[in-house]
Amino acid sequence: MPVNGGTGGRAAAAGSRWLAIVPLAVGVVATVTYSLTTAKPVAALGTAGMLAAAAAAGGALLGFLFGIPRVLARDPGADGEAPLGAYAPNTNLEQISDWLTKIIIGVGLVEFGRILRAAGRGLDVVAPELGGGKAFSAGLVIYFVVYGFLLGWLTARIRLAPALSSADRAALDQFVRAEVVEARGNPEEAGRLRRSAAALASHTARRYEELRSTTPSTPGRTAEMETLIATARSAATGGQWQPEQVTDMFWRATDGDRIFVLGLMQGDVRLVDFDCAIDAVEHSRSAFEQYHALVVLDRDDLTFTAAQRTRLLSVLDYQMGPHGRVREGRERRKPATRIVDRLRPGTDPPGA
């Protein structure tokens, strides 16, 4: 049964609030009470407050690292197809959390004695500022480290995991709602939901733009961009995307949207729009975009009108010629040559 934020979710949230407030109140009361018994209560209270805040912050960071949720591997299903909207989430934070927790535990076990001695020397420095209370200093640090750890861990478990899951499911949920709304006779609302789903799904497009702008051109970058195209292909397999959605997204004129649309067109022939695909060949923003536009037009199940055949051949003649970008030795040459051979059999491609 899916987690839907009902009674169980509210109870967990309320419990986490009480766990945050009550121990904090106990710690503050104990700190103020002790500070009032020292010769310099204001100085002692300030020192104790900063020490408690530092201990709680350190504990919260550790707790957050230990509580970061893991992405579950998903079975693609009996038909071997990835589900609608399937993609590989970015797990960098998860991996860093895993590495750091293992390092912290390993180093802590090996160097436990040295860590205790260093902590003791630190308390020797702080204790005079607290009226000489080394025992109180130690108790204060331990108390707030544990408090911070539990608070950070619970925050990651209760807040972060549902937030990530909700974001991952949002686009699919919008598509399902759109189908239900349309079946009830409200096509306008269904269209709005589909547009919203398309906007959410365009996180793939934004990732493409980020890669293009921040990462040098390497085989690794190309491989990740191919993964993004595969994500779009998988998103098209459920049949919920509508052709007008796809063309609207393409003409938004952002590089990432254009790439996402080309992936959708590769995944579902219903979504192929000749004008979009030919524009991505003739006025491509990148070699990657041009290649995937050619892959779209190279589909065996595509048919062209006479006017489309003429225009496509004209564009390919130029692009495969001496002034074009689809030159010999480029990966783009292969789908371009197949298209020309299919449309104009028995002729050599331009520039051959």
Side-chain angles (χ1 to χ4, degrees):
M1 184 169 131
V3 177
N4 56 19
T7 303
R10 288 194 295 271
S16 67
R17 284 196 294 271
W18 278 108
L19 188 60
I21 294 170
V22 173
L24 178 62
V26 171
V28 169
V29 170
T31 301
V32 172
T33 302
Y34 175 82
S35 300
L36 292 175
T37 66
T38 63
K40 298 179 179 179
V42 175
L45 183 59
T47 302
M50 288 302 298
L51 188 62
L61 177 60
L62 284 176
F64 186 83
L65 287 174
F66 277 78
I68 289 174
R70 302 289 184 259
V71 176
L72 294 177
R74 290 184 291 181
D75 187 350
D79 58 358
E81 296 270 354
L84 173 66
Y87 65 95
N90 188 314
T91 59
N92 290 347
L93 183 61
E94 175 187 326
Q95 294 172 23
I96 291 170
S97 166
D98 190 52
W99 296 335
L100 287 178
T101 51
K102 289 176 180 177
I103 290 171
I104 290 168
I105 292 173
V107 172
L109 291 174
V110 173
E111 302 292 339
F112 185 74
R114 187 177 296 179
I115 292 171
L116 283 181
R117 289 191 293 273
R121 290 194 296 270
L123 292 176
D124 289 336
V125 174
V126 174
E129 300 298 323
L130 294 175
K134 187 174 180 179
F136 177 80
S137 303
L140 187 71
V141 171
I142 294 171
Y143 183 90
F144 278 98
V145 165
V146 173
Y147 168 77
F149 181 91
L150 291 176
L151 195 62
W153 186 82
L154 285 172
T155 298
R157 294 284 293 175
I158 294 175
R159 303 289 186 183
L160 185 59
L164 293 175
S165 296
S166 176
D168 289 352
R169 293 195 304 266
L172 178 59
D173 291 343
Q174 292 279 29
F175 277 127
V176 173
R177 287 172 57 201
E179 294 300 304
V180 173
V181 168
E182 189 167 48
R184 291 175 178 172
N186 192 343
E188 292 81 8
E189 178 66 8
R192 186 191 67 79
L193 288 170
R194 287 195 180 100
R195 287 192 295 273
S196 176
L200 290 169
S202 69
H203 69 85
T204 306
R206 291 193 295 273
R207 176 56 182 158
Y208 170 80
E209 292 170 3
E210 179 185 345
L211 281 171
R212 289 264 303 159
S213 61
T214 62
T215 308
S217 180
T218 63
R221 187 185 79 164
T222 301
E224 185 164 355
M225 291 194 298
E226 288 290 350
T227 300
L228 298 179
I229 283 284
T231 296
R233 281 198 296 267
S234 296
T237 58
Q240 277 82 356
W241 289 88
Q242 299 302 311
E244 60 272 15
Q245 277 183 290
V246 173
T247 54
D248 286 348
M249 188 185 300
F250 183 87
W251 296 117
R252 285 176 192 167
T254 70
D255 294 358
D257 286 333
R258 290 164 67 98
I259 287 294
F260 191 79
V261 165
L262 292 174
L264 290 174
M265 290 181 182
Q266 291 176 21
D268 187 347
V269 70
R270 290 186 314 113
L271 306 178
V272 175
D273 182 271
F274 179 81
D275 290 334
C276 294
I278 198 68
D279 184 82
V281 174
E282 189 174 15
H283 306 294
S284 58
R285 309 283 180 85
S286 66
F288 187 81
E289 178 185 297
Q290 189 178 52
Y291 170 77
H292 282 284
L294 289 167
V295 170
V296 170
L297 294 168
D298 188 33
R299 294 183 64 119
D300 292 333
D301 49 2
L302 271 187
T303 57
F304 303 105
T305 65
Q308 289 173 342
R309 289 166 61 94
T310 300
R311 185 180 175 195
L312 179 53
L313 284 170
S314 174
V315 169
L316 291 180
D317 284 347
Y318 178 83
Q319 291 295 328
M320 299 173 73
H323 303 294
R325 301 177 63 189
V326 185
R327 299 176 184 172
E328 285 290 348
R330 305 285 178 87
E331 189 66 23
R332 288 163 279 168
R333 190 79 175 189
K334 297 176 183 177
T337 301
R338 286 194 296 268
I339 296 169
V340 171
D341 288 345
R342 190 162 63 248
L343 299 182
R344 190 190 289 151
T347 62
D348 293 328

